[in-house]
Amino acid sequence: MFHQYLYVAITMFWVCDYASSFHEEWKFLRQSRWTKVKVLYITTRYLPFLLLAMYLYLNFSPENPDKCKILINTYSCFTQMSLTCSESFFVLRTRALWHNNRIVLVGMMSTAFALVVTSVGIRFTIIATSYVTTSAIPGVPGCSWSSSSILYFMLFIFLFVFQLGLVSLTLIRFIQSWRSAKGNMHAALVKHNIFYYVCGLILSAVNIVMPLLFPDVRKPPGTLQYDRVVDVPHIQTAYYIILEDFQVCVLRIIATRMHLHLWHLDQHMHNSEALVNISMSDMSPVDSTV
C-alpha cells in the first residue's frame, strides 16, 4: 500500500506542474513554429499520459503472466523513451551554449548513443531475468515483477556520469563567458541554465546514495503485494523502481520547463527589439514635400 501512496504523490506532483504552467505552455503551443524541437517537447510533455494509462492497466487488468511480460516490456520501452527525450533537451542546450562546436557535439552524441544502447540492454536484461506473476490477491488483477537491484543501480550510475559530463561542459562554458564579460555571476548562471542541470544531477546522485544508505529495506513479513514488485526475497528492488519513476517524472518536468523558459525569454527579446525599432523609426526624419 505504501507504494501506491508514493505513486499517487508522484502523479499529484506531475498534475500540479501542468496546472501551474498551463497558460505559458498554451501560449507556446499556439505561437511557436513547428520544428523538430517542438515535436520533441510535445512528446516529452505528453508521453506521461500514455505511461499513466499503461501503469493503471498493468496493475488492474492483466491476469496472464505472458501478457504481463509483454506489457512490462512495453512500459519499460516508453519509460526509456521519456528519459531519452528529457535528456535530449539538455544535450541541445549544451550544444547551443558551445555554438555547435564539432568536438563537443561529437563527444556528446557518442556518449548519448552509448548511454541509450547500454540502458536499453540493461532494461531488457532486467525484464528477462525478473520474476513476473499476476496478483496474489484473489479477484484483484494486476502484474508484478522483481529483479536484481544491481541492474537498476547500474542504470543510475550511467545516467549520473552522463549528466555530470553535461554539467561539466556547461560550467566550463559559464566560466569562459563570465570571465570574458566580467558581469554578474548570478545573471551568468541563469543565462547558462545551471540550476536546471544541477537539479537533474542532484536527483541522480540521490537515487544512487539512498539505496546505499538503506540497503536492507524489505517488505514487512506476511504483507500481500499486488503492485509491480512480487513478494519474493529481494533487497531494494521496489525502491529502485519507485526512484526511477520519480526521476523520469522530475527530469521531464525540468527539461520542458527549461525549454519553455528559454522560448519565452527569446520571445521577450524579440518583442523588445521590435519596440526599439518602432521607436527609432518614429524618431527618424520624414521627408516632406512643399
Side-chain angles (χ1 to χ4, degrees):
M1 199 58 152
F2 179 68
H3 301 94
Q4 273 72 21
Y5 288 138
L6 288 178
Y7 279 109
V8 168
I10 292 174
T11 304
M12 291 304 299
F13 179 66
W14 170 56
V15 171
C16 288
D17 174 70
Y18 274 96
S20 62
S21 61
F22 178 78
H23 177 71
E24 295 179 350
E25 187 168 8
W26 180 243
K27 183 178 179 181
F28 164 74
L29 294 174
R30 285 190 299 107
Q31 298 182 8
S32 63
R33 295 182 297 108
W34 279 98
T35 61
K36 294 179 181 178
V37 177
K38 184 174 182 178
V39 174
L40 179 64
Y41 177 92
I42 293 174
T43 304
T44 307
R45 189 67 170 164
Y46 296 100
L47 187 60
F49 287 103
L50 179 60
L51 286 171
L52 180 61
M54 287 189 63
Y55 180 80
L56 293 174
Y57 185 76
L58 192 64
N59 280 274
F60 294 104
S61 293
E63 298 181 357
N64 186 302
D66 293 331
K67 190 176 181 180
C68 278
K69 197 148 193 173
I70 295 174
L71 288 170
I72 292 169
N73 271 293
T74 307
Y75 183 86
S76 185
C77 288
F78 279 111
T79 300
Q80 179 63 47
M81 185 188 299
S82 178
L83 188 60
T84 302
C85 290
S86 299
E87 289 298 324
S88 296
F89 281 103
F90 294 101
V91 171
L92 291 172
R93 181 55 181 161
T94 306
R95 186 190 72 171
L97 291 174
W98 280 89
H99 304 294
N100 295 325
N101 183 286
R102 182 170 297 180
I103 297 176
V104 174
L105 181 60
V106 170
M108 284 195 305
M109 295 307 295
S110 301
T111 308
F113 178 77
L115 175 66
V116 171
V117 171
T118 305
S119 299
V120 170
I122 291 175
R123 287 185 186 280
F124 280 106
T125 304
I126 288 173
I127 296 170
T129 59
S130 63
Y131 302 93
V132 179
T133 64
T134 53
S135 174
I137 301 179
V140 180
C143 289
S144 308
W145 81 84
S146 178
S147 184
S148 172
S149 58
I150 298 298
L151 296 174
Y152 283 103
F153 188 75
M154 290 172 61
L155 281 174
F156 293 151
I157 287 289
F158 288 135
L159 182 58
F160 175 80
V161 171
F162 179 72
Q163 290 177 332
L164 183 62
L166 292 181
V167 169
S168 300
L169 287 172
T170 307
L171 283 174
I172 292 171
R173 196 63 185 166
F174 153 71
I175 293 172
Q176 292 175 347
S177 176
W178 178 57
R179 285 183 175 178
S180 61
K182 295 181 180 180
N184 183 271
M185 180 177 289
H186 180 267
L189 286 170
V190 172
K191 179 182 177 181
H192 290 78
N193 306 114
I194 294 294
F195 301 110
Y196 293 100
Y197 284 84
V198 171
C199 284
L201 184 65
I202 290 175
L203 182 61
S204 294
V206 169
N207 283 355
I208 293 173
V209 172
M210 285 297 289
L212 296 177
L213 295 177
F214 306 99
D216 296 321
V217 177
R218 293 176 180 266
K219 287 173 62 228
T223 304
L224 289 176
Q225 181 69 28
Y226 49 94
D227 57 5
R228 295 169 57 189
V229 182
V230 299
D231 193 11
V232 297
H234 68 282
I235 299 175
Q236 304 172 344
T237 304
Y239 295 94
Y240 271 114
I241 295 173
I242 294 172
L243 288 173
E244 183 191 34
D245 287 345
F246 180 70
Q247 182 178 31
V248 171
C249 175
V250 174
L251 279 178
R252 61 175 167 250
I253 289 174
I254 294 173
T256 51
R257 282 273 186 169
M258 180 180 70
H259 181 72
L260 203 61
H261 169 74
L262 290 172
W263 183 83
H264 281 285
L265 187 64
D266 183 67
Q267 291 295 111
H268 177 73
M269 292 178 63
H270 280 302
N271 292 337
S272 299
E273 290 175 0
L275 287 174
V276 171
N277 292 333
I278 292 173
S279 300
M280 293 300 292
S281 63
D282 290 342
M283 294 173 61
S284 61
V286 180
D287 293 334
S288 57
T289 56
V290 179

